[in-house]
Amino acid sequence: MNEQRYSNLKLGERGAIISILAYILLSALKLSVGYISDSEALKADGLNNTTDILASLSVLIGLRLSQKPADDDHLYGHWKSEMVASMVASFIIIVVGFQVLTSAFTSVFEGAAEAPDLIAAWTGLFSAAIMYFVYRYNRNLARKIKSHSVMAAAKDNLSDSWVSIGTAVGIIGSQFGLPWLDPVTAFIVGALILKTGWDIFREASHQLTDGFDVDLIKEYNETICNIPGVKGIKDLKARSYGNNIVVDCVITVTPTLDISTAHDISTRVEEKLMEEYDIYDVHVHVEPD
């Protein structure tokens, strides 16, 4: 099973690499066209994609570090490297979001002299289509290998697709005598960048501080209680190591049972949880009731 999980991490690298290549192409295209057409919104969108390159690189590095086996000072392995990488990516995205907001805010008050060239809008729509296909690929890959960081990258891809659509709308609107609509759209782009960074930060920090889905805990509790021989549950906790879930459980059994029978019950609990919920490891302690 461990080999399969490490193989999934390796497969996840493909999604990060595709994102990096797409962002390199689109950031160069948007920044070039943005300066030529004098579009603040398209330049902001291009700057957003340059940060996405760094964010995707962080995800790629995290996926590779997570594949390192356990060693003397990482006895549980390096699985959490993936979430640390997501945290770093969120910081990069948030910093640039503030930069885009500042630039857009200044442009609004300075006033725009004229509407940007319409080629900027077509560039935005083309970019939106590319990022939507990248999003679909990474979303399906993340579901297949059950990777939080690849799914975070997919969400960033989708956010970038919507941002590019918004950019195009703002540029097209500025063609109808509303040149201020372009920098206003850049302001909205900045806000969306900040939201994406915050969402990734919130999820990564939740996992790194051992936060866990309470609904899943309830499901585990119900499953364990339905296993023959289990009288009750004294304690049930779970945490994540990257994409791997580890469960610690204290169950109670009839006090007259011999050690062998009690051990068999704990084994059934472990096997049931690992099989039904694809849990990486389950630790069960048995106490008499």
Side-chain angles (χ1 to χ4, degrees):
M1 182 176 289
N2 280 356
E3 290 183 4
Q4 180 61 45
R5 293 178 186 274
Y6 284 119
S7 177
N8 285 344
L9 289 173
K10 189 70 177 177
L11 191 61
E13 292 182 18
R14 188 184 302 172
I17 291 172
I18 289 175
S19 291
I20 291 169
L21 294 176
Y23 285 134
I24 289 174
L25 170 66
L26 295 181
S27 62
L29 178 65
K30 290 175 184 177
L31 289 173
S32 298
V33 176
Y35 281 106
I36 293 172
S37 62
D38 196 27
S39 170
E40 291 297 327
L42 192 62
K43 285 187 283 185
D45 196 3
L47 185 58
N48 173 36
N49 286 159
T50 62
T51 65
D52 291 320
I53 296 172
L54 298 177
S56 295
L57 276 172
S58 297
V59 171
L60 179 60
I61 292 170
L63 286 166
R64 291 190 173 177
L65 289 176
S66 295
Q67 296 172 48
K68 294 177 62 178
D71 53 33
D72 292 339
D73 56 351
H74 294 86
L75 301 179
Y76 291 97
H78 296 74
W79 302 104
K80 286 193 175 183
S81 298
E82 195 177 350
M83 300 314 299
V84 172
S86 295
M87 179 80 77
V88 172
S90 72
F91 290 149
I92 295 171
I93 293 171
I94 289 172
V95 167
V96 173
F98 276 117
Q99 291 178 339
V100 171
L101 281 179
T102 301
S103 176
F105 189 78
T106 302
S107 297
V108 168
F109 283 94
E110 286 180 349
E114 58 183 19
D117 194 285
L118 199 57
I119 190 176
W122 290 115
T123 302
L125 291 175
F126 170 76
S127 301
I130 293 295
M131 289 317 305
Y132 180 73
F133 285 115
V134 174
Y135 154 72
R136 290 290 297 268
Y137 177 85
N138 279 335
R139 183 198 63 180
N140 293 338
L141 177 61
R143 288 175 177 174
K144 178 180 178 181
I145 66 176
K146 299 180 180 179
S147 171
H148 291 289
S149 65
V150 176
M151 183 58 79
K155 291 177 180 178
D156 191 26
N157 298 150
L158 182 60
S159 173
D160 290 323
S161 181
W162 282 114
V163 166
S164 293
I165 290 174
T167 298
V169 169
I171 294 170
I172 292 172
S174 68
Q175 304 296 313
F176 296 93
L178 302 171
W180 53 266
L181 194 57
D182 181 59
V184 167
T185 303
F187 190 90
I188 296 172
V189 168
L192 288 172
I193 295 171
L194 283 178
K195 183 183 183 302
T196 299
W198 169 252
D199 288 343
I200 295 174
F201 169 81
R202 183 175 57 185
E203 182 176 352
S205 61
H206 186 252
Q207 282 210 22
L208 288 172
T209 55
D210 286 339
F212 200 78
D213 188 342
V214 292
D215 292 329
L216 269 179
I217 291 290
K218 291 177 182 178
E219 289 184 32
Y220 298 163
N221 187 92
E222 184 176 345
T223 299
I224 294 170
C225 288
N226 288 330
I227 295 175
V230 176
K231 292 193 66 177
I233 300 175
K234 290 190 66 174
D235 191 24
L236 177 59
K237 293 180 287 190
R239 59 194 184 281
S240 297
Y241 286 103
N243 301 315
N244 304 305
I245 296 174
V246 176
V247 175
D248 297 296
C249 179
V250 179
I251 62 172
T252 58
V253 299
T254 303
T256 56
L257 294 179
D258 58 71
I259 294 176
S260 179
T261 303
H263 179 268
D264 289 342
I265 294 173
S266 69
T267 300
R268 286 200 295 270
V269 171
E270 293 170 357
E271 292 176 347
K272 182 67 174 177
L273 288 178
M274 293 174 74
E275 178 183 349
E276 187 166 334
Y277 299 99
D278 193 29
I279 294 174
Y280 177 69
D281 200 9
V282 181
H283 303 284
V284 179
H285 179 70
V286 179
E287 290 188 1
D289 184 7

